[in-house]
């Protein structure tokens, strides 16, 4: 029993939809007051000399302000036996597991629905001055009825004033934008939009777009597909701290083979997300108005699992 209210049913992982990670474990629990199923994240406090990790405090403060159908709902915070627990709505699985459980390519309508829901939640965050900073399929939850929700806001930050990127906190390189890989000390919502592009490509191909195993490998995988950037394609790139004049020069390739099955409009949206210059990258608000979504009814969720 967690506190006097939440009864453990089973450990999280795929059943709780959020899983376990560096900062906590997730349990599937029953709310004994309401009888509903919830996901309870136990925060590890042994990682911090000061007690509660800053990531947990950040997640609580951010989610208290972000109430949206496409953002996971933080329902309660409980302190019990010297530990902190965050109580979330229960969502069946994450987007990565959803893709793995679906045989063959995802239907185009499913991809479009997930992308519209992702952008809707993200636009809500950005409009309120919050960057997610860790968007990836494992941090997007999908309910049985096809509703997608942004989750895991432990790395979320307000984007005013600009802050130094805490790259050591990022779990994976695969969704990190090139400006961060090249050492930019200031960044803003466009970093989330780069991740949106990589997620769109992964939904289409059911494989990660840039699966680098180190920072330089990640950069090279990006350059080999999108072409090595230059001052002409990305003004100021050669002034970034980690730019190297001896980077190999690769030509830009078409994204058609990297994202099979996407319509021409879908490829155009992908290209607008994967623009090198952050200032020229499409915003979540503009992306929602892209022709890719023409005729799409946002009230229709993705087909149920």
């Amino acid at each position: 029993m967690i506190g006097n209210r939440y009864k453990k049913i089973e450990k999280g992982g795929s059943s709780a939809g959020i899983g376990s990670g560096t900062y906590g474990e997730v349990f599937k629990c029953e709310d004994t007051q309401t009888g509903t199923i919830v996901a309870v994240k136990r925060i590890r406090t042994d990682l911090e000399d000061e007690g509660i990790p800053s990531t947990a405090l950040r997640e609580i403060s951010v989610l208290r302000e972000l109430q949206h159908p496409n953002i996971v709902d933080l329902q309660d915070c409980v302190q019990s036996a010297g530990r902190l627990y965050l109580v979330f709505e229960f969502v069946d699985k994450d987007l990565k597991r959803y893709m793995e459980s679906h045989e063959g390519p995802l239907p185009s309508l499913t991809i479009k629905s997930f992308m519209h829901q992702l952008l809707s939640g993200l636009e809500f965050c950005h409009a309120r001055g919050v960057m997610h900073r860790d968007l990836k399929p494992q941090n997007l939850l999908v309910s049985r009825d096809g509703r997608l929700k942004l989750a895991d806001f432990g790395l979320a930050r307000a984007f005013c004033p600009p802050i130094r990127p805490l790259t050591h906190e990022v779990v994976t390189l695969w969704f990190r934008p090139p400006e961060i890989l090249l050492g930019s000390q200031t960044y803003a919502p466009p970093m989330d939009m780069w991740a949106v592009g990589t997620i769109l490509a992964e939904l289409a191909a059911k494989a990660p777009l840039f699966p680098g195993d180190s920072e330089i490998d990640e950069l090279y995988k990006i350059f080999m597909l999108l072409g090595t950037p230059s001052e002409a394609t990305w003004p100021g790139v050669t002034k970034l701290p980690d730019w190297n004049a001896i980077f190999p020069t690769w030509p830009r390739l078409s994204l058609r083979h990297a994202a099979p099955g996407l319509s021409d409009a879908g490829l155009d949206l992908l290209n607008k997300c994967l623009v090198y210059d952050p200032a020229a990258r499409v915003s979540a608000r503009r992306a929602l108005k892209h022709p890719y979504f023409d005729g799409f009814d946002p009230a229709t969720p993705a087909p149920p699992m």
Side-chain angles (χ1 to χ4, degrees), residues 93 96-103 206 305:
K93 62 178 64 175
K96 185 70 172 178
R97 291 190 173 96
Y98 180 96
M99 286 189 282
E100 291 171 348
S101 67
H102 191 287
E103 292 187 11
K206 293 188 72 176
M305 290 185 282

Side-chain angles (χ1 to χ4, degrees), residues 60-304:
I60 294 168
S61 63
V62 167
L63 287 175
R64 291 292 194 199
E65 303 298 321
L66 298 177
Q67 302 293 315
H68 187 273
N70 297 119
I71 297 175
V72 69
D73 183 30
L74 176 64
Q75 299 180 345
D76 197 5
C77 299
V78 178
Q79 284 187 295
S80 177
R83 293 183 176 181
L84 177 66
Y85 297 87
L86 307 185
V87 181
F88 295 91
E89 63 175 312
F90 177 80
V91 187
D92 302 277
K93 62 178 64 175
D94 63 44
L95 183 58
K96 185 70 172 178
R97 291 190 173 96
Y98 180 96
M99 286 189 282
E100 291 171 348
S101 67
H102 191 287
E103 292 187 11
L106 293 178
S108 58
L109 182 59
T110 299
I111 296 174
K112 189 171 294 189
S113 175
F114 283 157
M115 288 305 301
H116 195 278
Q117 293 182 77
L118 167 56
L119 287 165
S120 296
L122 189 60
E123 194 279 330
F124 188 85
C125 294
H126 289 174
R128 282 149 185 80
V130 174
M131 294 179 294
H132 188 283
R133 298 205 313 155
D134 197 18
L135 289 175
K136 55 186 177 181
Q138 294 90 330
N139 288 343
L140 302 173
L141 307 182
V142 181
S143 68
R144 288 188 181 277
D145 62 357
R147 298 292 177 184
L148 181 142
K149 295 173 181 284
L150 281 65
D152 203 339
F153 281 76
L155 295 182
R157 288 288 181 93
F159 54 79
C160 183
I163 57 172
R164 175 67 183 169
L166 303 174
T167 54
H168 67 279
E169 287 190 282
V170 179
V171 175
T172 177
L173 294 167
W174 300 355
F175 307 92
R176 194 181 301 176
E179 63 267 29
I180 304 302
L181 291 165
L182 289 171
S184 174
Q185 296 187 16
T186 59
Y187 57 96
M191 71 170 297
D192 282 338
M193 291 307 299
W194 178 273
V196 167
T198 62
I199 291 167
L200 173 55
E202 185 164 343
L203 284 167
K206 293 188 72 176
L209 183 60
F210 302 122
D213 56 22
S214 66
E215 290 194 0
I216 191 64
D217 186 50
E218 182 72 12
L219 271 176
Y220 281 6
K221 279 182 166 55
I222 293 171
F223 293 173
M224 284 188 284
L225 180 60
L226 302 180
T228 304
S230 65
E231 286 293 325
T233 58
W234 182 359
V237 65
T238 61
K239 305 295 192 299
L240 291 174
D242 296 327
W243 173 261
N244 195 321
I246 64 170
F247 281 151
T249 301
W250 284 286
R252 182 181 177 90
L253 303 177
S254 170
L255 289 174
R256 173 69 66 182
H257 298 297
L262 276 185
S263 64
D264 289 344
L267 283 173
D268 184 70
L269 176 58
L270 179 59
N271 275 294
K272 284 179 165 56
C273 290
L274 298 181
V275 170
Y276 274 133
D277 184 358
R281 213 169 284 157
V282 69
S283 68
R285 179 168 296 177
R286 284 186 289 126
L288 283 167
K289 298 177 181 178
H290 189 274
Y292 176 58
F293 296 113
D294 284 356
F296 175 72
D297 182 4
T300 304

